[in-house]
Amino acid sequence: MNRTDEKAQAINLPPVYNHVEKHGAFPEISHDENARFNFLTNLNRHLATVVKPGNKVAFDKRIKPWFQARTGHDFHTPAEVKEAMQQDTYYQMSSALRRATLEMTQQASRSMVLRQIDSLADKASYYNDQRPETLTLNPDLEIPHYLKVVDYHCLPGGYYTEYIAGDVANAAAEDASFFVTTSGEFGELSDGSGKALVNWLTHNYPEFKPRRILDIGCGAGLNTLPLAIENPDAEVIGIDVSAPMLRYGHARAVSLGVENVRFIQANAETIPFDNDSFDWVQSTMFLHETSIRAINNIVREVYRVLASGGLMLHVEHAQNTAEMSLFDQFMRDWDTFNNNEPFYRVMHQMDKTEWMKSAGFQSDNLLQFGIPIVNNNHQLVGNGFQARQNVFGAWK
């Protein structure tokens, strides 16, 4: 850690954008773009650690007493909290700043990749041509309706849109901006969730040696590669519906020298593999970007392709609990209404236990736990984003 890093950590600043590991498929970043990303990274940290907590102060000091005086009772539902908070000027300011920061981040990353869209496609092609047998695309695959009706994360066109032949632009934008939106707290390769998951498995089930691993909704493979790296004797397969994400993710894997991974364009609702063919099936922050119909199809498909004694794990939002305050439930759903995440709130309300049992998993084999994010940026994780992520799953 250099002196600049030490001073930044002492005053709770995020790591500088220079810490991003620029693999072979990564976009070229100019001086001004780097400065813009540094500003946005720090703004995200400031909003998360300074501005956002002020909403609880406004709720306790102003909104709750006003509501009780007006109605004669306390809040009964998160919807009532939402209606009241939306009238408060502090929440309006906080929410507007957060939404504006998301839009600025998307604009910064998109303008960067679009100016080099041809060279990004060429770089991806250069790496993908070195190992064409481990990338399988299906131009006839239908994009699910739930992805076409909204631009998730405010990314114009979503993650599946292609602007030119061999396009990887939106995938590169996601890779470049993830460090910004999470204040760098998932590491230099933004793979802290995947690393945390393999660490947990190694510590708790050292005898578990999967031979075939399936990562559904893998995107650009940020959290797929740690699974392959930590299980060098296993065949790791990532599936996703987005061709640009898979092209970019495969090129990224080749450039980083990870050889035991394949990327296949497929829908997790109809997994194109035989019954009992995987020892470990998992996803990372994927399920909340689907739909009720899709998620029920997905869990049945996961159960089908999972071998006896195999493991299903999903890094995903935890459900609301009886102990959770109505204010906290309201704040958890912010992305549903402001970040084009329509299924976010449903995931918070969904009974994960019943969902897993509906596919055939037995109650005694269910799992739910938290994992600390692995971060190699020499920062104290959790000040700007979440220090731990929720995981649920089951043994078959």
Side-chain angles (χ1 to χ4, degrees):
M1 185 186 300
N2 59 40
R3 293 184 64 185
T4 301
D5 292 331
E6 290 174 351
K7 290 175 66 177
Q9 183 169 327
I11 58 176
N12 192 29
L13 293 177
V16 295
Y17 195 78
N18 309 60
H19 282 208
V20 172
E21 183 170 336
K22 298 172 180 65
H23 51 79
F26 202 80
E28 297 295 325
I29 303 175
S30 70
H31 172 275
D32 288 357
E33 288 163 343
N34 193 84
R36 192 173 296 119
F37 281 146
N38 273 326
F39 165 74
L40 290 168
T41 303
N42 279 273
L43 180 56
N44 271 305
R45 174 67 66 86
H46 178 73
L47 293 178
T49 60
V50 179
V51 177
K52 183 180 177 182
N55 286 295
K56 184 63 164 64
V57 177
F59 176 76
D60 289 336
K61 299 288 187 180
R62 189 163 56 244
I63 300 303
K64 188 174 182 178
W66 167 81
F67 182 86
Q68 290 172 333
R70 185 173 67 91
T71 64
H73 60 79
D74 205 347
F75 291 101
H76 292 152
T77 67
E80 288 183 340
V81 177
K82 176 175 177 283
E83 182 179 359
M85 287 294 291
Q86 286 182 327
Q87 301 177 51
D88 184 73
T89 54
Y90 186 91
Y91 176 76
Q92 293 170 4
M93 176 274 296
S94 169
S95 191
L97 278 174
R98 190 173 172 190
R99 169 71 186 211
T101 302
L102 290 169
E103 293 181 356
M104 285 191 291
T105 301
Q106 293 293 10
Q107 177 59 33
S109 59
R110 275 176 57 78
S111 63
M112 177 187 66
V113 300
L114 290 178
R115 69 169 174 80
Q116 54 188 302
I117 187 170
D118 292 314
S119 62
L120 283 169
D122 290 342
K123 284 200 293 187
S125 178
Y126 167 78
Y127 287 109
N128 290 335
D129 287 347
Q130 296 178 30
R131 216 170 69 205
E133 70 279 5
T134 52
L135 174 63
T136 304
L137 301 181
N138 178 9
D140 296 324
L141 182 71
E142 182 178 356
I143 300 299
H145 176 72
Y146 56 80
L147 291 180
K148 293 190 289 186
V149 296
V150 64
D151 291 337
Y152 276 78
H153 301 164
C154 306
L155 176 64
Y159 296 107
Y160 62 88
T161 296
E162 301 186 52
Y163 301 105
I164 63 172
D167 188 31
V168 296
N170 280 4
E174 166 69 6
D175 191 19
S177 64
F178 189 84
F179 186 96
V180 176
T181 56
T182 60
S183 300
E185 293 185 342
F186 284 72
E188 296 169 1
L189 282 169
S190 299
D191 56 0
S193 294
K195 288 181 176 178
L197 205 55
V198 294
N199 284 356
W200 182 88
L201 269 174
T202 300
H203 177 75
N204 291 278
Y205 297 95
E207 73 285 354
F208 182 59
K209 304 295 181 183
R211 295 165 298 174
R212 296 190 84 206
I213 302 172
L214 179 64
D215 188 15
I216 60 175
C218 66
L222 303 185
N223 294 294
T224 311
L225 296 196
L227 313 183
I229 292 169
E230 294 301 321
N231 296 276
D233 296 326
E235 177 188 22
V236 179
I237 299 173
I239 65 171
D240 200 280
V241 298
S242 166
M245 295 292 272
L246 294 169
R247 286 192 198 101
Y248 184 84
H250 184 262
R252 180 178 177 272
V254 174
S255 75
L256 290 170
V258 184
E259 299 182 352
N260 60 322
V261 61
R262 294 168 56 199
F263 291 90
I264 298 174
Q265 189 174 9
N267 190 332
E269 293 184 67
T270 53
I271 298 174
F273 293 103
D274 294 335
N275 296 352
D276 309 315
S277 55
F278 288 94
D279 304 300
W280 176 9
V281 181
Q282 76 105 45
S283 71
T284 303
M285 300 306 287
F286 159 66
L287 297 176
H288 73 269
E289 296 186 356
T290 61
S291 69
I292 295 175
R293 176 180 175 182
I295 198 173
N296 288 328
N297 290 335
I298 288 168
V299 72
R300 287 191 289 267
E301 279 292 273
V302 169
Y303 187 85
R304 178 184 66 80
V305 302
L306 195 62
S308 177
L311 177 64
M312 174 184 74
L313 289 178
H314 301 287
V315 181
E316 190 52 82
H317 296 286
Q319 65 199 54
N320 294 338
T321 64
E323 296 76 26
M324 190 177 295
S325 72
L326 296 179
F327 173 81
D328 287 338
Q329 292 180 44
F330 153 70
M331 290 296 291
R332 293 187 81 206
D333 291 341
W334 185 90
D335 289 86
T336 296
F337 306 105
N338 301 282
N339 190 25
N340 294 11
E341 295 268 21
F343 198 49
Y344 224 75
R345 182 171 61 163
V346 178
M347 284 299 298
H348 293 156
Q349 298 171 343
M350 191 179 83
D351 188 328
K352 312 297 194 301
T353 295
E354 292 303 316
W355 177 73
M356 291 185 285
K357 287 166 60 178
S358 72
F361 292 101
Q362 301 301 305
S363 297
D364 292 345
N365 295 328
L366 303 184
L367 301 168
Q368 184 160 4
F369 54 92
I371 52 173
I373 298 166
V374 174
N375 181 305
N376 56 352
N377 280 322
H378 310 297
Q379 296 290 310
L380 297 175
V381 177
N383 295 318
F385 206 70
Q386 52 190 128
R388 299 174 68 84
Q389 288 188 296
N390 177 70
V391 184
F392 62 89
W395 295 95
K396 181 177 177 181

